[in-house]
Amino acid sequence: GFVAGDIQWPLPHKYNESGDLLTYGYATENMLLVQMTPPANLKAGATVVLKAEVSWLECEKLCVPGDEQVEASFRVATDLPARINGEVFDKYRKQIPKPFAASSTLSFKAEATDGKVEVRLQNRGAKPFVVTTDVLPDFYPESINEVTVGRTQVTANAEGATLVVPLAANNKVTGPFTLRGILV
C-alpha cells in the first residue's frame, strides 16, 4: 500500500574518458532519496517491511553490473522520532537540483536548429550574472536512444549566458524527440 515517488538524483560528476568521451557518474558514497507515502489505513504500532530491487553499474577501468534485493523493517509511530542520520540526509538533499522558479531573476529560452540546441539565459535582476571559470551554467542531458548529446559549450558575461548543446543522430531520426535534462 505504500507509494514510492521518483528517485531524487543529485547532480553527477562529469568524467572525461579516453577518446574524448564524456560520461556521468558518482564517486565514493552517494544517496538517492525517494519520498515514500504510506497508506491511509496504516496503524500505529504495526511493523512495516519495505523491499526494493536495486541495480547499478560500478565502473573504474571496466563497468561491472550489480543488483541486490534489500529490505528494511520499521515500527509505525504517531510521534516524530528523533532525527537519525539527519546530517547525512541533509547533505544529500542539498545536492538535488532545485526547480526553476518563475520569479527567478533569470529568464531562459531554448531553440533547436541545425543539429544543436541553444539555450539563452538572460539576467533580469539588478545584480550582475556571476561568471567565473568554476561557476558557469551547465547542462546535464538525459539519455536519448536516437541521439548522442555532445559537450555543452558555454559563453557567459554579466548579462547572461548561451549554452550550445550539439546533437548527433546515431541513425536516421524518424520523428520529433524531446531533449530533457537539468540546466544548472
Side-chain angles (χ1 to χ4, degrees), residues 16-170:
N16 293 312
E17 304 293 340
S18 63
D20 202 33
L21 180 66
L22 179 65
T23 62
Y24 302 87
Y26 302 98
T28 63
E29 180 182 88
N30 189 27
M31 183 183 288
L32 304 177
L33 301 173
V34 175
Q35 179 72 41
M36 300 295 294
T37 304
N41 62 352
L42 190 61
K43 304 285 185 215
T47 298
V48 173
V49 178
L50 298 178
K51 298 178 181 181
E53 293 180 34
V54 183
S55 61
W56 65 89
L57 275 178
E58 190 170 335
C59 304
E60 189 169 343
K61 300 245 185 262
L62 297 171
C63 290
V64 179
D67 61 81
E68 189 72 38
Q69 302 243 354
V70 296
E71 67 178 60
S73 297
F74 302 95
R75 180 158 312 280
V76 178
T78 55
D79 57 336
L80 289 175
R83 284 188 58 170
I84 300 172
N85 298 318
E87 290 177 7
V88 174
F89 279 92
D90 288 344
K91 171 186 170 184
Y92 289 102
R93 200 171 279 121
K94 289 176 184 173
Q95 295 177 22
I96 298 169
K98 306 285 185 274
F100 180 78
S103 63
S104 170
T105 59
L106 287 178
S107 65
F108 74 94
K109 179 180 177 182
E111 184 176 6
T113 57
D114 300 326
K116 67 183 180 223
V117 174
E118 280 192 22
V119 179
R120 288 182 207 74
L121 300 172
Q122 187 172 10
N123 185 12
R124 298 184 309 188
K127 293 182 181 179
F129 190 73
V130 176
V131 180
T132 67
T133 55
D134 59 341
V135 183
L136 280 176
D138 204 352
F139 182 70
Y140 291 77
E142 288 184 16
S143 63
I144 304 173
N145 290 337
E146 302 88 4
V147 176
T148 299
V149 180
R151 294 175 195 254
T152 304
Q153 302 152 8
V154 181
T155 56
N157 58 36
E159 285 77 43
T162 299
L163 292 86
V164 177
V165 182
L167 305 173
N170 301 334

Side-chain angles (χ1 to χ4, degrees), residues 3-17:
V3 176
D6 291 335
I7 296 174
Q8 299 174 45
W9 293 89
L11 283 178
H13 302 284
K14 289 187 175 185
Y15 295 98
N16 293 312
E17 304 293 340

